[in-house]
């Protein structure tokens, strides 16, 4: 445990030194990156040890804070999330050193690396905290530091708007968490997590409070609205940290809350499955309709969080009905998808940043032909896309496979309601997977294949090694996890056992058949991959002394093909979005050519977030109008402000005397 605290200290000290050296961008970058990399590498050792051994370690010191104590710990559940934090932060921040260096005249790099260090350190403290006050302090530090990173380019109106939406969403979630912990503390007489397991009352209410509080950070629909706004506004490697790691803190909180609340009610699983299916289907449809790569990836994150919620929900159904296999596969699949999503979404956001830096746009309709101009970035995008849609060889296949197996176990149950819920999960997952395949076919097909659609895409070239190597590391992790996933039963037993209270050996035994199947799939996939590699080498050998004719991509038999003849992003998915037009707020504007000598036509399609437009914006406009009626209270007269403070103190004194 001491090693983990040392790791967090190194990260934070690096951030403070970086802030102190802000006048020298090079020194500030060096201090920030070195602190984060060394701290993360140090933190990996105890995290891996806890996961492999299944052991726990705690430190408890008293604090002079009401209800507070410096109570931190690590157990297999914490270890999974600490591994995600430390493993993803190293390549992401190494990438950020080069990415931000190109913007050294626009940002204060000292402040940027300071807030990055605080974000990583606070996420680690969220996972290690075992006291509600300490947890909420770390939670708030995480939210505030990420707010400053999102608003680095605060001169832009859309960035300020994104930051405001994010801040409001973060604090609405925090308010629910405050009530959640106060209710737990009122019952147990302490705010230490170890006391929360003493049979709390109102478990249904507590579950809903945790679902809303932690779900706002995780991005469950309808609490997701900050993600599509914040991710395009933030620098790409910060988006990778936020989407790949930070939203997982909400999921960690939900898993940790389950350990407080004891055996769950059946309806908790139904609620989570419902939230997951709605989040998955609606968000992947919105992702399909986006032309901005980072907005597409942000909605995709909501979709993947939905898959994790579905896995957790089916695990709860198994736990509440006594089916160890369902619980093991459901929770195991959800936890593995958390790890997988951090890896492939990190790779995709870094690839998006590389494209942004070289093409100066993230509009898919302005890209094309990048496979030849940016081969390493394109390879990363391809591998991560294969993983995210759940195709074999990619890591996403394994975790979704486990959730499918959990649902198939439920589908064969004698309980009609359980079987119906499980069949719904199978259908929903298949729908989400199919839509995701279309979405990322669009992303790679329109953005990286074909011919360039703009001058900036034509002139693009590959990013430097400091940016491409971290991307390739994450893409390599996608393949390694995909091929090595047969080891999941070994690691999942301790983690799922900790959450559910089911003996870890029972979890491992239940997962073992899937381990054998995954091992066979890994061997088959490896053989196919080696076959493709050998065929590619053989092709090079056969063609080495022959003349090879090259022609343009997608000429389609035209004499003079142009980039305008290619599919655009929205036309690529028009059939699918048309089928689900009722769930999307499609805004289409077109000027069609007419006459004998027509002018240039124009078709513009935008798909804003319907919930943001129809639900949140009217509410906040109403709140703003109401509060605007009270502006007369803010008049700049210091004497009257002091009078306000005096009146407030008197009210509190009388309240206390009562």
């Amino acid at each position: 445990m001491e090693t983990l605290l040392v790791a967090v200290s190194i990260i934070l000290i690096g951030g403070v030194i970086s802030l102190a050296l802000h006048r020298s961008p090079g020194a500030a970058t060096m201090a920030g990156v070195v602190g984060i990399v060394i701290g993360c590498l140090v933190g990996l050792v105890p995290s891996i040890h806890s996961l492999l051994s299944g052991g726990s370690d705690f430190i408890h010191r008293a604090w002079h804070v009401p209800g507070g104590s410096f109570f931190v710990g690590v157990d297999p559940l914490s270890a999974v999330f600490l591994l995600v934090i430390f493993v993803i932060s190293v390549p992401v921040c190494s990438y950020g050193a080069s990415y931000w260096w190109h913007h050294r005249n626009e940002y204060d790099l000292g402040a940027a690396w300071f807030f990055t260090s605080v974000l990583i350190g606070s996420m680690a403290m969220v996972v290690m905290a075992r006291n509600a006050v300490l947890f909420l302090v770390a939670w708030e530090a995480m939210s505030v530091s990420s707010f400053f990173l999102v608003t680095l380019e605060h001169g832009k109106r859309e960035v300020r708007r994104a930051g405001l939406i994010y801040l409001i969403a973060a604090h609405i979630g925090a308010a629910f968490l405050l009530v959640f912990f106060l209710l737990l503390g009122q019952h147990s007489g302490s705010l230490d997590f170890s006391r929360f397991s003493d049979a709390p009352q109102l478990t249904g209410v507590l579950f809903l409070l945790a679902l809303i509080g932690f779900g706002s950070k995780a991005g469950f629909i309808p609490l997701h609205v900050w993600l599509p706004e914040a991710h395009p506004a933030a620098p790409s490697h910060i988006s990778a940290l936020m989407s790949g790691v930070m939203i997982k803190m909400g999921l960690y909180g939900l898993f940790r809350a389950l350990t407080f609340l004891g055996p769950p009610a059946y309806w908790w699983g139904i609620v989570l499955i419902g939230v997951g299916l709605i989040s998955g289907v609606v968000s992947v449809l919105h992702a399909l309709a986006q032309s901005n790569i980072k907005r597409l990836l942000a909605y995709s994150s909501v979709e993947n969080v939905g898959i994790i919620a579905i896995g957790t929900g089916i695990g709860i159904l198994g736990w509440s009905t006594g089916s160890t296999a369902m619980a093991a596969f459901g929770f195991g699949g959800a936890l593995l998808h958390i790890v997988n999503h951090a890896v492939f979404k990190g790779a995709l956001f870094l690839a998006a940043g590389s494209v942004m830096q070289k093409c100066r746009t993230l509009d898919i309709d302005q890209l094309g032909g990048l496979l030849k101009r940016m081969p390493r970035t394109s390879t990363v995008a391809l591998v991560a896309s294969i993983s995210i849609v759940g195709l074999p060889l990619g890591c996403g296949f394994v975790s979704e496979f486990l959730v499918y197996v959990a649902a198939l176990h439920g589908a064969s149950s004698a309980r009609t309601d359980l079987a119906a819920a499980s069949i719904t999960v199978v259908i929903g997952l298949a729908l989400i997977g199919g839509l995701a395949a279309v979405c990322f076919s669009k992303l790679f097909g329109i953005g990286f294949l074909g011919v360039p659609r703009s001058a900036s895409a034509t002139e693009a070239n590959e990013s430097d090694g400091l940016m491409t190597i971290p991307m390739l590391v994450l893409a390599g992790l996608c393949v390694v996890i995909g091929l090595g996933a047969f080891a999941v039963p070994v690691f999942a037993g301790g983690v799922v056992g900790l959450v559910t209270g089911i003996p870890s050996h029972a979890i491992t035994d239940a997962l073992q058949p899937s381990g054998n199947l995954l091992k066979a799939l890994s061997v088959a996939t490896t053989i196919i991959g080696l076959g493709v590699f050998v065929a590619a080498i053989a092709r090079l050998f056969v063609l080495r002394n022959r003349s090879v004719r090259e022609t343009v991509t997608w000429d389609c038999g035209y004499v003079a093909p142009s980039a305008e003849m290619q599919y655009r992003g929205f036309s690529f998915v028009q059939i699918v979005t048309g089928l689900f037009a009722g769930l999307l707020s499609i805004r289409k504007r077109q000027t069609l050519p007419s006459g004998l000598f027509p002018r240039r036509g124009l078709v513009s399609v935008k798909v804003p977030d319907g919930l943001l437009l129809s639900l949140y914006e009217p509410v906040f406009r109403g709140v703003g109008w109401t509060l605007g009626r009270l502006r007369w209270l803010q008049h700049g007269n210091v004497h009257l402000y002091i009078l306000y403070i005096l009146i407030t103190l008197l009210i509190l004194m009388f309240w206390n005397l009562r």
Side-chain angles (χ1 to χ4, degrees):
M1 194 61 235
E2 288 82 0
T3 310
L4 277 172
L5 292 177
V6 169
V8 173
S9 301
I10 292 172
I11 293 170
L12 295 178
I13 289 171
V16 172
I17 295 174
S18 182
L19 184 63
L21 298 173
H22 72 103
R23 292 184 185 279
S24 171
T29 300
M30 181 65 74
V33 175
V34 169
I36 290 169
V37 171
I38 293 178
C40 289
L41 293 178
V42 170
L44 278 175
V45 177
S47 305
I48 293 172
H49 178 264
S50 177
L51 186 62
L52 292 178
S53 67
S56 303
D57 192 12
F58 301 96
I59 292 178
H60 194 182
R61 300 284 184 274
W63 256 8
H64 298 294
V65 176
S69 64
F70 187 77
F71 190 8
V72 292
V74 60
D75 55 24
L77 179 60
S78 301
V80 171
F81 288 87
L82 285 171
L83 279 174
V84 169
I85 295 168
F86 294 142
V87 169
I88 302 300
S89 296
V90 172
V92 162
C93 291
S94 303
Y95 172 100
S98 177
Y99 185 88
W100 263 342
W101 186 251
H102 294 284
H103 302 274
R104 58 187 179 279
N105 297 323
E106 303 165 35
Y107 308 146
D108 181 343
L109 292 191
W113 283 110
F114 170 73
F115 288 120
T116 306
S117 302
V118 173
L119 173 61
I120 295 170
S122 59
M123 288 192 294
M125 285 306 296
V126 163
V127 176
M128 291 192 292
R130 293 295 184 273
N131 175 273
V133 175
L134 180 61
F135 181 92
L136 289 174
V137 169
W139 188 269
E140 194 65 12
M142 174 178 69
S143 299
V144 172
S145 57
S146 52
F147 164 77
F148 283 113
L149 290 169
V150 167
T151 55
L152 272 179
E153 296 186 41
H154 51 79
K156 299 178 181 176
R157 183 175 177 275
E158 63 272 17
V159 171
R160 293 197 300 274
R161 180 176 184 271
L164 182 63
I165 292 174
Y166 172 57
L167 204 60
I168 292 172
H171 285 91
I172 289 175
F176 278 87
L177 292 183
L178 186 61
V179 178
F180 170 74
F181 283 119
L182 286 176
L183 286 176
L184 280 170
Q186 186 183 35
H187 172 79
S188 61
S190 170
L191 290 175
D192 287 344
F193 288 1
S194 57
R195 299 288 299 277
F196 288 167
S197 57
D198 296 343
Q201 297 175 338
L202 300 172
T203 50
V205 175
L206 290 169
F207 169 74
L208 292 176
L209 287 170
L211 182 63
I212 297 171
F214 292 121
S216 67
K217 184 66 73 183
F220 292 149
I221 284 181
L223 307 167
H224 70 291
V225 290
W226 65 269
L227 275 109
E229 302 296 327
H231 286 330
S236 290
H237 63 289
I238 298 301
S239 298
L241 264 185
M242 292 176 69
S243 182
V245 184
M246 193 186 74
I247 63 173
K248 307 304 187 310
M249 298 302 104
L251 297 166
Y252 165 77
L254 198 56
F255 277 99
R256 184 60 70 186
L258 289 175
T259 66
F260 304 153
L261 304 181
Y266 182 83
W267 64 267
W268 298 5
I270 298 295
V271 169
L272 266 177
I273 289 172
V275 168
L277 287 174
I278 293 170
S279 298
V281 174
V282 174
S283 57
V284 75
L285 285 172
H286 277 88
L288 268 172
Q290 302 304 316
S291 61
N292 182 293
I293 294 179
K294 289 176 75 174
R295 282 184 72 85
L296 182 154
L297 295 178
Y299 277 112
S300 166
S301 291
V302 181
E303 169 228 328
N304 281 276
V305 165
I307 292 174
I308 294 165
I310 292 170
T312 309
I314 202 79
I316 288 178
L317 291 188
W319 184 9
S320 62
T321 56
S323 171
T324 301
M326 270 186 78
F329 282 106
F331 283 116
L335 286 164
L336 183 59
H337 204 71
I338 286 171
V339 177
N340 291 339
H341 180 252
V343 175
F344 54 62
K345 191 50 66 70
L348 283 166
F349 268 115
L350 296 192
S354 179
V355 170
M356 175 66 191
Q357 195 167 78
K358 293 299 177 180
C359 301
R360 300 182 295 282
T361 181
L362 285 173
D363 187 347
I364 294 176
D365 293 335
Q366 299 298 316
L367 300 176
L370 298 183
L371 181 61
K372 293 179 180 175
R373 290 160 180 79
M374 304 178 70
R376 293 191 290 276
T377 300
S378 303
T379 302
V380 170
L382 179 62
V383 171
S385 297
I386 289 173
S387 298
I388 202 169
V389 300
L391 291 176
L393 187 66
C395 53
F397 166 76
V398 188
S399 46
E400 292 191 31
F401 170 77
L402 294 178
V403 179
Y404 270 111
V405 174
L408 292 174
H409 271 284
S412 60
S413 168
R415 284 185 59 161
T416 307
D417 56 343
L418 183 59
S422 301
I423 291 170
T424 304
V425 164
V426 172
I427 295 171
L429 279 176
L431 178 61
I432 293 169
L435 293 172
V438 177
C439 179
F440 282 90
S441 298
K442 165 190 156 181
L443 171 63
F444 194 77
I446 304 296
F448 293 87
L449 301 181
V451 294
R453 296 172 175 79
S454 64
S456 59
T458 304
E459 297 164 0
N461 54 23
E462 188 56 89
S463 297
D464 59 50
L466 276 176
M467 289 177 67
T468 53
I469 290 173
M471 289 192 290
L472 290 169
V473 167
L474 290 177
L477 279 176
C478 291
V479 178
V480 169
I481 296 174
L483 294 179
F486 54 83
V488 166
V490 177
F491 302 107
V495 185
V496 178
L498 181 72
V499 175
T500 61
I502 300 172
S504 58
H505 64 82
I507 300 290
T508 303
D509 291 344
L511 289 171
Q512 197 55 51
S514 71
N516 297 332
L517 178 58
L518 290 172
K519 190 180 295 183
L521 285 172
S522 296
V523 172
T525 307
T526 305
I527 292 172
I528 293 171
L530 287 174
V532 171
F533 179 74
V534 170
I537 297 296
R539 178 180 178 276
L540 289 175
F541 180 77
V542 170
L543 297 178
R544 59 178 178 162
N545 293 324
R546 299 185 181 187
S547 61
V548 178
R549 177 173 173 267
E550 292 188 356
T551 186
V552 297
T553 310
W554 282 9
D555 70 349
C556 299
Y558 289 101
V559 176
S562 74
E564 296 298 320
M565 294 177 179
Q566 300 176 105
Y567 271 97
R568 295 276 170 166
F570 195 78
S571 56
F572 188 88
V573 298
Q574 190 171 12
I575 295 176
V576 180
T577 52
L579 289 173
F580 295 93
L583 294 174
L584 300 169
S585 304
I586 300 175
R587 293 179 176 179
K588 188 173 183 179
R589 186 167 60 91
Q590 60 182 12
T591 304
L592 299 179
S594 63
L596 294 175
F597 302 97
R599 294 183 176 180
R600 189 182 179 89
L602 173 69
V603 178
S604 170
V605 181
K606 290 186 178 179
V607 184
D609 196 302
L611 279 170
L612 184 63
L613 291 180
S614 60
L615 176 63
Y616 291 101
E617 288 196 352
V619 169
F620 286 113
R621 274 200 299 271
V623 172
W625 182 88
T626 305
L627 294 178
R629 305 302 97 189
L630 300 174
R631 279 182 182 165
W632 57 271
L633 288 169
Q634 188 179 359
H635 39 66
N637 191 327
V638 177
H639 298 87
L640 286 178
Y641 289 156
I642 295 172
L643 179 63
Y644 295 162
I645 296 171
L646 180 63
I647 292 172
T648 305
L649 289 174
L650 287 173
I651 292 172
L652 291 174
M653 285 174 60
F654 282 117
W655 177 270
N656 195 36
L657 290 173
R658 186 174 65 89

